[in-house]
Amino acid sequence: MSESQMAPRRPGGRGSDIGRPRDPDMDQAILRATIELLSEVGYVRVSVAEVARRAGVSKPAIYRRWSQKSQLVVEAMVTQMRPGNDNVSGSAADDLIALTDQLIDLLTLTPLGRVLPGLVAEMAADPVLAASYRNLIIKPNVRHWHAAIDRGIASGELAGDTDVDFVINALVGPLYFSLLITGEPIAAGYARAAVDLVFARDKTASS
């Protein structure tokens, strides 16, 4: 992970390492320990002390890099994200289905699903954390959704006046609603059904 991909750390900067080179091996040890602990106990029970113990570093070494646990957790989650993939298949519908299935996997097969409820609560009171989460996790992925929808508009699969943000919210919103509000499992075949519904609405609106 490059320095530009890392979450904001100490207020006003990226840690108190000015004048001293960062140790990337220590960074990775801390991030691995954080992911391991998240997978075992969830966000609320993660402690910086236990991360430090598992990573074989001191608590001050962590706090020199991340000013609080929530920022450490966001950066650790970035390491679990798949490399960006625009899923260019020649069909905007198929591309959106693939992106939706990838998000379902991320929310159900990685620690993010267990961590997100706690993070959302923290973000409500911590604008720095909220900005880190949006800039490092949300924005890099949303651009792939935008690109797929733009390709659909260009190819005529979607109407020229399609509201891109509406389509993204219609596909993604129910997944977060299930995870954060109802706790209900995501239905098998959700991606196909949701994309078909969005495309059917677009055709009806343009007819």
Side-chain angles (χ1 to χ4, degrees), residues 33-58:
T34 302
I35 288 296
E36 178 184 279
L37 194 55
L38 284 168
S39 300
E40 294 176 10
V41 303
Y43 177 80
V44 173
R45 294 177 60 194
V46 168
S47 71
V48 172
E50 179 61 14
V51 171
R53 187 190 70 79
R54 294 189 182 204
V57 302
S58 65

Side-chain angles (χ1 to χ4, degrees), residues 95-151:
D95 295 345
L96 288 169
I97 290 169
L99 286 167
T100 305
D101 278 332
Q102 286 179 15
L103 179 58
I104 291 171
D105 287 348
L106 182 67
L107 294 175
T108 59
L109 301 179
T110 76
L112 182 59
R114 295 184 64 190
V115 172
L116 195 55
L119 276 181
V120 168
E122 292 271 343
M123 284 190 285
D126 186 343
V128 174
L129 170 63
S132 297
Y133 183 83
R134 291 169 184 144
N135 290 331
L136 291 172
I137 293 180
I138 299 298
K139 287 183 179 180
N141 287 280
V142 165
R143 72 178 184 84
H144 298 299
W145 297 75
H146 270 275
I149 297 167
D150 288 342
R151 289 194 297 273

